[in-house]
Amino acid sequence: MRKSTKAWALLFAMCTASLLGGCTYESGTKAFATTNFDTTPEKTTTAQTESGAEWLKNALANAKTDKKAQTYWYKGHVKNMILSRSTTSMFSGAVINGKGYNVDARIAAQPYSYYRVNDKQYIRANDNWVTATDEPLAFDVLAGFDDWLPFMDQAVQLPDEKIIGVFSVPFQLKMTGADWLKTSKSPLFEPLKQQLGDRPDLDYILKQSTIKTTFWFGKDDHLIHQYETWIILPLPGAGTMDQQVHFNMFKYGDTGGINLSEPEDVEKYLLY
């Protein structure tokens, strides 16, 4: 039972790290094999002309400096499949960098809203607003993307694709959990790294796991317009656990449609 508990801790840490959302390949055109979480043939790869790492670096830099990128909408979901059970959490909202953001979510079929402006933050549950003394959800749509930079030189460039009306350049990479754990700088993995030497069961799970991540970068604005990570982890003797994280960022520069309420407009509805 103890080993089983720690194995589940590994699954949780890996899947949590994907919300932040090894392998070497020969130069030239690259291609990935299909996996059991994508039974359709992979799209034919385009000529590998650019580096996925450079695209991601530029996108993260543009997100901070491009005036257009300071306001945008987002929507997405996190789908967990454990054995025969499946749960999906939905998220949507808008961001004004430097001011705040809002999140409307449905987690385990329960509605939830989160709102932050400047240094104030509020939660709505069961139609009641309360003050959040500690931020319960460190919700930054772009948080953790720089953790993928060490891997992106291995990414395959796929054919251009239109994402919510924007011509985009996709880059995709695959790796095992062992490769991810070895290279990732995320503090979430530190306890697991310390256990590996004495835990052959964890070593097996990591080596047999599959992680596939895809970024879609706007061809003209070089911003991230779509992101997806899919993780498959074996449950020894019990099948697999899958997690899919999928988000879209759209309407960059929409200054007219995004309107975050001022704190006093929320505070009059607060229970405490």
Side-chain angles (χ1 to χ4, degrees):
M1 177 65 82
R2 197 171 191 179
K3 285 188 175 182
S4 175
T5 300
K6 290 187 177 179
W8 279 103
L10 169 67
L11 307 185
F12 174 78
M14 291 189 68
C15 290
T16 301
S18 74
L19 292 172
L20 300 183
C23 303
T24 57
Y25 303 92
E26 296 177 0
S27 59
T29 302
K30 308 170 185 177
F32 290 130
T34 57
T35 66
N36 61 340
F37 56 82
D38 186 359
T39 56
T40 59
E42 294 280 1
K43 299 172 185 177
T44 303
T45 57
T46 190
Q48 190 79 18
T49 58
E50 301 181 73
S51 161
E54 287 303 312
W55 275 88
L56 181 55
K57 284 179 186 177
N58 290 336
L60 295 177
N62 290 343
K64 295 178 180 178
T65 60
D66 186 343
K67 185 177 179 180
K68 177 183 174 182
Q70 304 316 299
T71 58
Y72 57 93
W73 297 81
Y74 63 87
K75 65 178 180 179
H77 67 266
V78 178
K79 184 175 183 180
N80 291 292
M81 294 155 280
I82 304 175
L83 304 179
S84 61
R85 299 184 63 183
S86 174
T87 59
T88 302
S89 298
M90 309 295 295
F91 302 88
S92 64
V95 175
I96 300 178
N97 284 332
K99 182 175 182 179
Y101 54 83
N102 60 51
V103 184
D104 289 320
R106 181 167 289 273
I107 302 173
Q110 297 300 313
Y112 164 95
S113 294
Y114 180 74
Y115 164 76
R116 181 174 74 78
V117 61
N118 300 324
D119 60 345
K120 296 187 177 182
Q121 51 220 15
Y122 311 99
I123 302 171
R124 184 180 68 183
N126 299 321
D127 293 324
N128 296 315
W129 283 97
V130 298
T131 302
T133 53
D134 294 310
E135 187 168 0
L137 184 63
F139 197 90
D140 178 349
V141 177
L142 301 180
F145 281 175
D146 53 355
D147 289 343
W148 292 104
L149 285 171
F151 306 102
M152 287 299 290
D153 274 332
Q154 304 167 12
V156 167
Q157 183 180 350
L158 300 179
D160 294 355
E161 187 175 352
K162 207 170 187 179
I163 301 296
I164 310 185
V166 176
F167 285 103
S168 301
V169 181
F171 283 86
Q172 184 183 97
L173 63 94
K174 288 184 183 178
M175 69 189 86
T176 67
D179 296 326
W180 194 21
L181 186 65
K182 183 171 82 172
T183 306
S184 175
K185 304 300 182 185
S186 172
L188 287 171
F189 289 140
E190 288 308 313
L192 296 171
K193 289 179 178 178
Q194 295 171 15
Q195 293 183 36
L196 282 182
D198 301 322
R199 296 296 307 280
D201 56 327
L202 296 186
D203 186 62
Y204 169 82
I205 291 173
L206 287 165
K207 289 181 177 178
Q208 296 300 315
S209 63
T210 302
I211 299 166
K212 181 172 79 169
T213 293
T214 310
F215 287 90
W216 286 261
F217 302 102
K219 195 166 187 177
D220 295 326
D221 61 17
H222 288 232
L223 296 171
I224 299 170
H225 286 265
Q226 187 167 272
Y227 161 77
E228 181 180 73
T229 287
W230 206 317
I231 302 173
I232 298 180
L233 297 163
L235 301 178
T240 62
M241 171 182 177
D242 295 23
Q243 185 186 69
Q244 180 198 30
V245 179
H246 183 102
F247 273 87
N248 289 101
M249 284 70 79
F250 56 99
K251 290 189 178 179
Y252 282 103
D254 182 12
T255 55
I258 298 176
N259 181 28
L260 295 181
S261 300
E262 295 302 321
E264 53 268 24
D265 294 331
V266 176
E267 289 169 351
K268 58 188 177 184
Y269 299 108
L270 291 176
L271 290 182
Y272 55 87

